[in-house]
Each structure stands twice: as structure tokens, then as C-alpha cells.
Amino acid sequence: MLRSGQPLTGPNRKRCPEDEMLLGSVLDEGERGFIIDTRSAQAAKQARMMGGGTEPKSSYPQWKRLHRPLERGRPLQESFIKLVEACNDASLGMDRWLGRLESCRWLSHVKAALSTACLAAQCLDREESSVLVHGAEGTDTTLLVTALAQVILEPSCRTLKGFQGLLEREWIQAGHPFHLRCARSAYSHARLKQEAPLFLLFLDCVWQLSRQFPFSLEFSEGLLLTLFDNAYASDYGTFLCNNEKERCLCKVKESTHSLWAWLDQPEERKKYLNPLYSHNPLVIWPSVEPQSIQLWQGLFFRWIRSSQYLDEAWAEIWRLVEGS
Amino acid sequence: VENVRLVDRLSSRKASVGTLYLTATHVIFVENSSETRKETWVLHSQISSIEKQATTATGCPLLIRCKNFQVIQLVIPQERDCHDVYISLIRLARPVKYEELYCFSFNPKLDKEEREKGWKLVDLNEEYNRMGVPNNYWQISDVNRDYGVCDSYPMEVYVPKSATAHIIVGSSKFRSRRRFPALSYYCKDNNASICRSSQPLSGFSARCLEDEQMLQAIRKANPGSDFLYVVDTRPKLNAMANRAAGKGYENEDNYSNIKFQFIGIENIHVMRSSLQKMLEVCEMKSPSMSDFLWGLENSGWLKHIKAIMDAGIFIAKAVAEEGVSVLVHCSDGWDRTAQVCSVASLLLDPHYRTMKGFMVLIEKDWVSFGHKFNHRYGNLDGDPKEISPVIDQFIECVWQLMEQFPCAFEFNERFLIHIQHHIYSCQFGNFLCNSQKERRELKVQERTYSLWAHLWKNRADYLNPLYRSEHSQTRGTLHPQMAPCNFLYKFWSGMYNRFEKGLHPRQSVIDYLMAVKEETQQLEEELIVLEERLANLQKLQLNGNKVKSKQQDRSKELVLSASNNSIANTPQEYSIDLKSFPSRSPSQGDEEDSALILTQDNLKSSDPDLSANSDQESGVEDLSCRSPSGGGCLPSEDSGKDSDEAVCLAV
């Protein structure tokens, strides 16, 4: 699986032999690859006017392009803000709750993200074909898809250690601009242009997987919540800045502590483990039917509903599992 | 009929080809494939509707919708055969006589004594005694002993001490269907009670002295409170409209010291339509998130569930926190009243959250108080306007509570689903007819078997591993979160998409935890046995030495004691015992997999090359259902003729 930014084809349909050679070298003679473009066909076409574009079939004959539009940027942030508003609206009756939930579109975004990641995984696992994923910049929806696909495909990414490694690789080092994207969150009135909850969307999708496959992830919901918190505001330097270059310039490694180091401590680690975990060497294929995708109550109602009864249930599960 | 195809509606995978059989009680589809020969059994009683669809090139499609939400799509090659099957099923699914129902032919091979014992498993008098009645305030009345006063009530009812037969009879004449106020639940901690009745025949201005006295008696039976709540579970408009028909509700001016309250749960017709709309949403092919959420909202289903729950919460609060008695009624007092009283009881009393207690609750508030099972769930062919998912809604309320309080219930989701299944299956006699009177006349207990005995026998499958009776969550009253709480109501895909296996995790957390719990218990028991044995052997060893030295003169006994010693000293025994112990390590058979249910249409439209067939990952050990007899969870177990659940009850 490969990821990149969009090809800069531009309005004049520029070609780049090096790029064509690079992609050509990935595939063997007669092999076929898939390009998953996370923009709609129309958006991708429009991007040409601004200097971007798509890989033309003639120049990349072995690659088949699939468009799977995923929401990003302002619209995604709006979706997030609307959802949080709806969750906090105590005046909302049951007769209007679902419609309001739907109008936020957040769950539709979760469904789309999971579906696209499954598609990428399917190409690799079932079709045994290589996949190139890109959107526009290659820093948002691209990473969402590649990271999620790996959780689906790869058992090692479902361990605590492996998941941390995945985050380091596919989000932090891959250059997701955390500083810009995870700035003020949903309550702020300052609607920043570059803010968008892609990382939260990723965590939500991982939570959906944990619900559908309760035995297959080594980590618990608690880890996902902690990651969400730290992406926005942290005692640690792990999510600082927008890319490795900036982190180097700011001397993050020299001046701050790593979140992973803290999480790895034995006493902390225990809090983030899933008592039901059992190594599952197979691929986990989630259902993306609407009935299977639920609102992540642990996050969106974290401060609204009491988690006492669920906490007690988890304590009971730990008790049962440890007693055996 | 041969060469019939059974289509998997959700994931247009290849349909399986097989033979369709129609028997007196079931529709059976047997797959042709030699390895599996999977059988799908559907009871006629479960069939809700049959739809013959337009003939296509591949054959004549027949859609069977079941009351347990299973939907079966068959394609029959010949139109003639399809028509025959259709006509036959229509007749078979609409029995005219009770004797046609499965419960009268079902034979679990128990003797008469066992059958009787099964019926005695749930004893209502025992239950009322457990509550604390009869006592100084409440007594049993046999005024209805021949069903002479109210034919839909049980023979024995509990009424306030000060309610004489005269008052009861007078009150019954002033109540719709003669359903006078009677005790449903008594709280011995504070003497508050929940009573139930039907609407008074008050019209605009009618009064009845005895009815007013009856309510006074109920109030007086609770010395801790100087007023009584009267809760009308109907919307105010409906109740007011009833007044024009000579019925209505209690006027606070006429009844001393009552506080009247409308709760606003819709009637059976609205509920029937609501379920219908929700099932249409479930049948949508590859719905978007938007389709689903709008569809669910438009059906209003969760709104109704919440309304029932809110009513139960109000009543439970009145009893537990205010110590005030409540009289509940709707129109006839057998639908919404039953729902609301049983929800309230469940919230108030932890006993009803145990398996036995739940069975008792259903016997009390639904069976004995004359909920019209036949009319509501169509045992026999009847008026379609009487059909309504009343008890389904109650069962869902219980599930919603189980989701909010995972440690509070002794039973699990599967228990609820199987109960719902059997309310419609008519495999057991508990839910036949419309009243206790009718069931006695039909001699149900002599001619059929009790569901409760069957469930009790298989209770290992129905336990909730997180339940502990001494847990804080299980004791006392449950307090569901009040607003904001809309989000707490979830769509119950385990019930309404029960047979769509791709939507559910392949391995149940409940089953896994039960297996772990069982194994731990067995290990602990084994440990005790081994420790005892060790102690005994150590004793023997000491004795053996003594015996040896004593019996050196007597050759015969010497041999014996020597051999005893050698056995006693062998260490291998311990490990053999440990090996013979069913070691089901949790990691075994954990391979989770599920079918990939991508929106097939999506994939197809944009990329016809990509074959979106989602094969299942292999190698899942289904840890469900360890009970040998018809708990009926594994498909292979279900091929037996007397299996209760058709197809795999994969939950």
C-alpha cells in the first residue's frame, strides 16, 4: 500500500516520467494496481484548474483509479461541531434526536471512512493488488485510509505497541498537521480555516472496530480517549507541530517527553489494555451497514452521562478474566 | 418442491439450492450441498406475511416474513408450484382452531409428572407472599373465583383489606371490561403499591360510589401517604375522546385525594404501524446512514420505547422515592398498563431482574392479568387490527435497561430473544388465548408444556456473566439517567436483524465470559478436591507406615498395604486429572471474522472489475450454547425435529 499527494497534472495535462517510472516499478509485468482517490471524480477534475489533478489512464496504464470521496477540512469540522451541539442539547426530544443526529452527518463520515479503508484492504488481501491512496495533499483523508486499512489487515497493528507504531508512522511522521488540525476543538467560536477532526474520525473508526471485534484489539476505549485528549492538548511533545521538519526545528525530541514512554509504564499500560484481547491472526472485516455503526457515546457523552455502570461492568470483566 | 433457491438477501452471495418441504407445523428448506445439508425450519405460527413477487427469468420469488423478524426469500422454479406453496402457506399460517397449533403436537418426551412440574415452576401465590401480601393492608379476594366479575382477570386477585366484595363488584361495573383496580406490586418497605385497572366509565359526569371507595381503599392501604397517583397512560386527547363514548378518566374533583397524570403512550394501532415502518427500514438494501436514521426516526419506534420507559420510571419514583401508591390504567388495562407496570416493577425490585423473577413478572402482569396474547400475536387467524407488538416493546425496554446496566440482570439478551420467539411460536402453551379463563377451558396445562421449564432447563445459556447478586448495581432500585438521555436508546439489531449474521460479532462476549467463569469455577472446585485428596493421602501415608511395621508378621496384609503405599506415592495422578479436565483456554477458537458487507451496489457501479464477494474468514469455533437439548443455537443442533428455534439462533 502506498500513499502520496495528488499528481500535479494541472490544466495542461503535464506528464512526469519519473513519477510514471516510480509507480510502474511497483507493479510487475501484467499486474494491476488500484489508485484510491479520496476526492470525488468531479473534485479531482476541478483540482486540475488549481494545478493538481489525477493520474491519466494513458500514462499509468496498469493502475485503475477508484474515487471514494471522503469529507475533510471545514465541512468535517462543521459536522463535528454540530454533533457536539446536538449531544448537549437537553431540549431535544426523542422525536427529533435521530434526525438531528443525521443532519450532523458525522456517522455518514464514519461509514464512508470505514468503507474506503475496507476497500483498500480488500484490494490488498483479496485481489492481491497494490494500492496507492491519495487525496489532495496526502496529509488528511489519505492517512485516515492507510492507517485504518492497516488496523483491519494487520494483527500487529492491533496490539498496544503496534498501534502506537502505526500512529507514529501513518499520522505523525507522515506529516498530518496536528497543530493546525487539532487546534480549538468543537466548542470554540473561532472557526479556524485549517482545523479539521480527521484524527478523531480515525479514532472513532477504530472504536467501531473494537465494538465489532471485542476480542481483537489489545487496547481499550480508554486509550482512544487519551489519544484524543493529547492530540488537542498534551503534556507531551508527541503530537506537537505539523510535521517532522517542524519538530526538528523546534527541538521537540530534546525538549519534551514522549507520550508513548508514559503510556508504556506498567501501571499506566494496564489502564489501556482490553481484558478480552486474544491475538487474532486474521483480517477483521467490519460491517458498514448503518445498524453496525454506532455513535461513540464514550467520547461524545463523556461529560454528559455517567459512566459508572459501564465502568463497573468492565471491572467485572477484568475480575472474571484475571480470576481464570 | 425441488430445486428451490434460498436467497441471502443482505449480501447477494450465491443462493443455496435445495428442497422445500411443508409439514403440518413447519416449513423446512434443506440444502442440497452434500457436505452441510443445512436445514432451515420455520414454524407456521411464526409466519407473519407471505408475498408472492413478480416472476423473473430465474423463477418465482416468494418472500416469507416472520414474527421473529426473520425474512426468508425463496425462488421457486415453476410458477404453478410457487402458487401452490403460497396458497398452502396462507392457510397453514392462519390456523382456525387452537388444536392446529404446534404446542398440541410438540413432544419433548417428558412424562406427565414432569409436565406438571414444569407448569408449577412459576407460582404466583408464592410471589405475592414474597412481596409481603396478604398482610394487614392487603388480602386475597376470591370474588372472581368463577370469573364471574371479570372474565379477563385471574381467579384470585389482591385487593385492599377495606375493599369488600360489594365495593369490588360495584367498581367493576364502572370500569371498562369490568377490570377493577387490583394489586400488581406491593413495596413492603413503605407500603406503597402499584395497582392496575381499566378506564372508568365516567363519560362527562357519571360517578360511582363503589369505584370512589375502591380508590380510597387503595390510598388507605398506604398509611404513609395522604394521596394516590392515578396515571392514565394514554395521550390526553385520546382519553378525552373516550369520554364521548361514555368512558374516560378519573375526575380529581370526584375522587378524594388523588393526583391525576397523563403519560401519553400511543395506542396499539400507532405501535403496529411504527413497527411496520421500522421493519421497512431494516429491509432496505444497502441503506445509507441517512436513509437509516431518517427511516428510524419516521417510524417513531424509539420514541415509543422511551415513552413506555419514562412512564415506568415515573411510577417507580413515586413508589420508591415518594412512597406514594399509584393506580395505572389505559383504555382496557391490558396493553399499556401491562407494559408500564412491569417496567416499573423491574426498576423497583431486583428479584424481577433474576431469571426466575422475570418469568414470574411475565406470568403476573401479562399472563394472569389477561393480556390478549391470541389477538395481539395472532395465535389464530383473527382481526389484523388487533395485532400489535405490545410485549415486544416491553421486552425491548428490558434490553435497553440491560445495555445501561450491564451488571444488573441475571439473564442475557439471548433469554429475551428466545422468550419473544416463543411468544409467537406457540410451541409451548403459556401464551395461548386471551385470558386465564380461556386457557383453563382449553386445558392448556394438561395438553401442552411450559416454556418456563424449557428455558429453566437450559438456563446456562441465558446467564449474564457480569451479574452478581451482591453487586451494588443489582441491588435496590435502578435509576436510569434522565434527560439528556435520548442517545441511550439504541436500535436493537440483535432482535430486528437477528438473522443477519454479518451484522453481529462472530463470537459473543457473553458466551466467552461464561466459559471463562465456568472454567474458573471448575478449576476452583477441582482445586478443593485435590487439596482434600492430598490431605487424605498424607494421612494415609502416615498410617501406611504404621501398618507396614505392624503387619510384618502377617504376609497377606503386608502385600495389600505395600501396594497401597506405592499408589499413594505416585505423583502422576495429579497431572492426569488436570489433563482430563475440559481445558477450554480462552484463546482457543477465538478467531473472529465476519463477512465483509460493503455496500455492494456502491462497488459495482463504480468498478465492475472488482469482485466484491465477501467470503468469510474461516475457522471460528462457535462457543455458544453448551446445553445439549434444544437451546438450539448451533445450526447442526437444530436439524432435529423437535428443535424449537428454526435456523440457528445465532445469538
Side-chain angles (χ1 to χ4, degrees):
Chain A
M1 186 161 58
L2 308 151
R3 51 175 158 78
S4 70
Q6 65 180 321
L8 301 175
T9 337
N12 299 323
R13 295 173 199 269
K14 265 192 290 180
R15 286 185 66 165
C16 171
E18 290 90 348
D19 193 74
E20 290 167 30
M21 262 197 313
L22 186 58
L23 280 186
S25 66
V26 172
L27 299 175
D28 288 334
E29 191 76 46
E31 254 192 356
R32 187 180 59 167
F34 292 96
I35 299 176
I36 296 180
D37 189 326
T38 60
R39 302 166 296 177
S40 67
Q42 199 188 28
K45 210 163 165 202
Q46 282 171 348
R48 275 201 355 233
M49 299 310 144
M50 308 292 285
T54 56
E55 294 83 350
K57 186 84 189 183
S58 44
S59 319
Y60 301 85
Q62 286 171 279
W63 294 88
K64 184 163 175 56
R65 187 160 25 98
L66 307 170
H67 285 276
R68 291 289 181 274
L70 294 180
E71 197 68 90
R72 76 206 68 209
R74 273 239 57 72
L76 191 64
Q77 182 69 8
E78 283 302 323
S79 172
F80 177 38
I81 291 172
K82 273 168 104 169
L83 177 58
V84 172
E85 265 173 16
C87 292
N88 282 296
D89 189 350
S91 73
L92 203 49
M94 192 65 210
D95 55 337
R96 287 182 307 130
W97 159 245
L98 291 172
R100 181 83 175 265
L101 181 60
E102 194 288 323
S103 69
C104 303
R105 312 272 313 140
W106 181 260
L107 292 177
S108 299
H109 300 320
V110 172
K111 181 181 195 309
L114 275 172
S115 303
T116 308
C118 285
L119 177 62
Q122 207 173 27
C123 294
L124 288 162
D125 186 72
R126 292 292 147 116
E127 302 292 315
E128 297 186 343
S129 297
S130 295
V131 178
L132 168 64
V133 183
H134 72 73
E137 310 290 297
T139 54
D140 295 283
T141 53
T142 305
L143 305 180
L144 176 57
V145 173
T146 57
L148 209 46
Q150 287 178 61
V151 178
I152 289 168
L153 287 166
E154 185 54 53
S156 63
C157 289
R158 295 180 226 135
T159 62
L160 186 52
K161 196 84 197 192
F163 189 66
Q164 287 174 8
L166 178 71
L167 293 174
E168 263 294 321
R169 268 195 330 275
E170 293 300 312
W171 285 92
I172 295 170
Q173 289 179 20
H176 178 71
F178 278 97
H179 182 67
L180 291 170
R181 298 285 181 268
C182 300
R184 304 289 177 84
S185 191
Y187 285 133
S188 167
H189 292 294
R191 307 284 228 243
L192 298 175
K193 233 177 80 163
Q194 289 285 349
E195 177 147 17
L198 270 316
F199 188 59
L200 170 59
L201 186 54
F202 168 71
L203 295 175
D204 196 326
C205 291
V206 175
W207 179 79
Q208 304 290 340
L209 289 173
S210 76
R211 222 188 45 83
Q212 293 194 31
F213 299 95
F215 297 90
S216 298
L217 298 178
E218 194 186 20
F219 46 90
S220 65
E221 183 187 43
L223 178 70
L224 300 175
L225 292 171
T226 298
L227 290 169
F228 169 70
D229 289 339
N230 279 277
Y232 283 88
S234 180
D235 293 339
Y236 303 88
T238 306
F239 289 105
L240 280 183
C241 305
N242 291 311
N243 47 51
E244 280 299 283
K245 179 176 177 200
E246 284 184 21
R247 282 186 273 273
C248 264
L249 289 172
C250 293
K251 298 207 187 322
V252 164
K253 292 215 166 89
E254 292 87 324
S255 337
T256 67
H257 293 282
S258 158
L259 176 64
W260 310 137
W262 175 60
L263 288 177
D264 272 341
Q265 295 174 99
E267 326 84 67
E268 285 304 314
R269 205 169 180 277
K270 249 198 323 208
K271 296 187 202 159
Y272 301 114
L273 290 176
N274 169 18
L276 298 171
Y277 175 65
S278 165
H279 172 74
N280 177 1
L282 299 172
V283 177
I284 54 174
W285 297 110
S287 158
V288 295
E289 293 301 310
Q291 294 95 315
S292 307
I293 296 174
Q294 288 188 10
L295 184 58
W296 186 6
Q297 288 192 15
L299 184 105
F300 293 106
F301 295 98
R302 199 168 168 194
W303 314 111
I304 298 173
R305 65 110 215 253
S306 159
S307 63
Q308 175 194 350
Y309 304 114
L310 294 173
D311 292 340
E312 285 173 4
W314 278 108
E316 192 57 33
I317 293 175
W318 269 113
R319 208 185 64 93
L320 282 173
V321 167
E322 282 180 332
S324 71
Chain B
V1 181
E2 299 192 330
N3 283 319
V4 174
R5 293 211 325 277
L6 177 64
V7 179
D8 186 334
R9 290 173 347 100
L10 189 63
S11 67
S12 36
R13 268 174 267 167
K14 265 201 264 185
S16 43
V17 183
T19 310
L20 188 69
Y21 299 89
L22 259 63
T23 71
T25 49
H26 291 79
V27 180
I28 309 168
F29 176 83
V30 183
E31 241 176 72
N32 278 346
S33 86
S34 47
E35 324 103 47
T36 53
R37 281 194 64 80
K38 180 170 150 212
E39 295 183 6
T40 305
W41 286 60
V42 179
L43 268 170
H44 296 316
S45 300
Q46 287 284 3
I47 296 176
S48 169
S49 71
I50 309 148
E51 191 186 321
K52 198 160 155 262
Q53 294 170 326
T55 310
T56 65
T58 49
C60 203
L62 200 65
L63 197 63
I64 301 175
R65 290 191 180 85
C66 298
K67 299 171 188 173
N68 62 0
F69 312 114
Q70 186 172 13
V71 181
I72 295 177
Q73 169 123 48
L74 299 166
V75 180
I76 300 175
Q78 299 293 339
E79 212 271 325
R80 174 79 181 278
D81 290 333
C82 183
H83 188 74
D84 285 344
V85 170
Y86 175 69
I87 296 294
S88 310
L89 280 180
I90 296 255
R91 172 61 188 88
L92 288 165
R94 296 189 190 157
V96 173
K97 288 185 304 178
Y98 281 112
E99 284 75 3
E100 296 179 54
L101 295 174
Y102 187 32
C103 52
F104 289 100
S105 54
F106 171 61
N107 178 11
K109 312 227 171 29
L110 298 171
D111 62 32
K112 197 163 137 249
E113 224 183 270
E114 284 170 307
R115 187 215 299 257
E116 248 180 65
K117 218 174 98 176
W119 282 106
K120 293 207 170 23
L121 189 69
V122 170
D123 183 337
L124 279 183
N125 272 323
E126 215 178 85
E127 171 56 20
Y128 283 107
N129 291 344
R130 182 199 70 86
M131 277 191 230
V133 292
N135 63 7
N136 290 334
Y137 304 112
W138 294 91
Q139 61 178 346
I140 307 185
S141 168
D142 68 347
V143 74
N144 198 37
R145 66 190 156 277
D146 298 314
Y147 307 105
V149 176
C150 173
D151 64 1
S152 59
Y153 262 11
M155 275 198 316
E156 288 182 338
V157 283
Y158 284 77
V159 294
K161 261 279 171 64
S162 55
T164 63
H166 172 75
I167 290 176
I168 298 170
V169 172
S171 169
S172 78
K173 295 203 177 115
F174 195 62
R175 292 276 164 181
S176 174
R177 319 282 183 173
R178 314 285 203 105
R179 292 170 68 87
F180 57 88
L183 181 71
S184 165
Y185 179 73
Y186 171 72
C187 178
K188 61 168 153 312
D189 297 335
N190 59 13
N191 296 310
S193 65
I194 303 175
C195 292
R196 55 184 291 178
S197 72
S198 59
Q199 65 184 323
L201 303 173
S202 49
F204 287 100
S205 58
R207 290 180 70 158
C208 168
L209 181 64
E210 290 83 8
D211 194 71
E212 290 168 29
Q213 286 172 332
M214 189 69 182
L215 266 64
Q216 263 217 43
I218 294 173
R219 181 178 56 79
K220 290 221 195 95
N222 179 8
S225 169
D226 54 9
F227 71 97
L228 171 72
Y229 276 118
V230 175
V231 166
D232 187 330
T233 58
R234 298 170 292 181
K236 183 169 182 180
L237 230 57
N238 296 23
M240 284 172 64
N242 265 283
R243 283 197 302 185
K247 304 180 205 178
Y249 55 93
E250 293 82 349
N251 184 338
E252 274 182 3
D253 297 332
N254 299 342
Y255 292 82
S256 59
N257 302 317
I258 67 164
K259 278 208 188 136
F260 187 84
Q261 187 94 14
F262 281 113
I263 301 258
I265 301 171
E266 300 290 347
N267 65 31
I268 57 168
H269 309 294
V270 173
M271 302 308 192
R272 181 176 58 248
S273 159
S274 176
L275 178 65
Q276 181 59 36
K277 292 204 191 112
M278 185 170 73
L279 293 178
E280 281 165 21
V281 173
C282 295
E283 274 192 39
M284 289 198 277
K285 281 210 156 59
S286 303
S288 68
M289 201 72 216
S290 183
D291 293 333
F292 179 72
L293 290 173
W294 277 115
L296 196 54
E297 177 156 288
N298 285 334
S299 76
W301 182 258
L302 289 178
K303 181 184 73 167
H304 299 313
I305 297 291
K306 181 169 186 290
I308 296 165
M309 192 80 92
D310 284 344
I313 293 172
F314 174 84
I315 293 168
K317 273 211 170 100
V319 168
E321 290 172 25
E322 295 180 62
V324 178
S325 295
V326 185
L327 171 66
V328 189
H329 70 77
C330 44
S331 297
D332 294 323
W334 46 40
D335 293 312
R336 288 165 279 195
T337 302
Q339 291 173 326
V340 158
C341 286
S342 31
V343 169
S345 303
L346 201 58
L347 292 169
L348 284 167
D349 195 330
H351 179 69
Y352 298 126
R353 294 174 232 138
T354 63
M355 218 180 276
K356 253 300 182 52
F358 191 68
M359 296 181 192
V360 165
L361 182 64
I362 294 183
E363 272 298 319
K364 179 168 68 79
D365 276 311
W366 294 83
V367 177
S368 81
F369 269 103
H371 177 68
K372 299 198 296 175
F373 284 93
N374 178 26
H375 282 176
R376 292 287 173 266
Y377 314 115
N379 304 158
L380 301 180
D381 190 30
D383 181 2
K385 292 218 169 52
E386 292 275 348
I387 303 274
S388 190
V390 182
I391 204 169
D392 304 60
Q393 287 182 322
F394 164 65
I395 291 172
E396 177 162 345
C397 284
V398 182
W399 178 77
Q400 299 283 358
L401 282 171
M402 269 168 47
E403 290 286 295
Q404 292 183 39
F405 300 97
C407 299
F409 292 81
E410 190 189 28
F411 49 86
N412 60 29
E413 183 189 30
R414 182 184 293 133
F415 187 60
L416 296 178
I417 291 180
H418 285 201
I419 290 177
Q420 191 268 0
H421 178 97
H422 283 301
I423 287 170
Y424 289 98
S425 78
C426 301
Q427 182 172 342
F428 300 92
N430 309 60
F431 309 113
L432 293 184
C433 309
N434 288 327
S435 67
Q436 199 188 72
K437 175 170 188 247
E438 285 181 27
R439 277 183 289 274
R440 288 218 179 180
E441 284 165 3
L442 198 56
K443 296 203 191 319
V444 159
Q445 293 198 4
E446 289 91 319
R447 301 159 72 189
T448 69
Y449 295 86
S450 168
L451 172 67
W452 304 136
H454 171 80
L455 293 175
W456 188 250
K457 191 167 60 150
N458 295 320
R459 60 189 175 281
D461 296 334
Y462 302 124
L463 291 173
N464 170 18
L466 301 180
Y467 174 77
R468 269 190 302 147
S469 53
E470 73 278 10
H471 198 284
S472 61
Q473 208 179 101
T474 60
R475 280 183 286 122
T477 314
L478 289 183
H479 297 284
Q481 172 153 342
M482 299 308 286
C485 58
N486 294 329
F487 57 89
L488 290 173
Y489 291 90
K490 297 187 254 190
F491 171 77
W492 192 6
S493 74
M495 170 66 86
Y496 304 110
N497 290 127
R498 183 173 156 198
F499 296 95
E500 276 143 67
K501 304 220 262 308
L503 291 180
H504 311 295
R506 291 290 287 174
Q507 189 181 25
S508 147
V509 173
I510 288 178
D511 290 335
Y512 167 72
L513 289 173
M514 279 313 297
V516 166
K517 202 171 182 179
E518 238 180 57
E519 187 180 340
T520 306
Q521 257 174 346
Q522 282 173 340
L523 281 167
E524 284 171 358
E525 287 167 13
E526 185 68 18
L527 184 62
I528 293 174
V529 168
L530 287 171
E531 280 175 346
E532 281 176 13
R533 187 180 287 181
L534 179 62
N536 284 337
L537 286 166
Q538 283 169 342
K539 260 193 261 163
L540 259 174
Q541 188 164 24
L542 291 169
N543 292 339
N545 286 334
K546 286 198 213 135
V547 169
K548 223 188 196 164
S549 53
K550 245 205 258 176
Q551 288 174 344
Q552 248 152 27
D553 317 44
R554 297 197 250 159
S555 45
K556 271 188 202 165
E557 274 135 341
L558 187 72
V559 172
L560 274 168
S561 51
S563 58
N564 275 342
N565 280 342
S566 59
I567 291 169
N569 285 327
T570 313
Q572 283 99 341
E573 279 184 8
Y574 306 104
S575 48
I576 290 170
D577 286 328
L578 281 170
K579 274 201 196 115
S580 67
F581 184 82
S583 65
R584 200 186 295 148
S585 75
S587 57
Q588 199 180 310
D590 249 10
E591 270 80 282
E592 271 187 296
D593 66 69
S594 74
L596 170 60
I597 316 278
L598 285 187
T599 46
Q600 305 293 349
D601 293 331
N602 258 352
L603 283 166
K604 286 207 192 101
S605 56
S606 51
D607 179 32
D609 289 330
L610 195 65
S611 60
N613 286 328
S614 43
D615 300 322
Q616 299 186 359
E617 299 293 332
S618 60
V620 174
E621 184 192 314
D622 192 336
L623 283 184
S624 53
C625 292
R626 280 137 297 123
S627 61
S629 60
C633 294
L634 294 170
S636 53
E637 276 181 69
D638 262 4
S639 45
K641 291 185 186 54
D642 292 326
S643 65
D644 44 3
E645 283 60 84
V647 190
C648 11
L649 287 177
V651 180

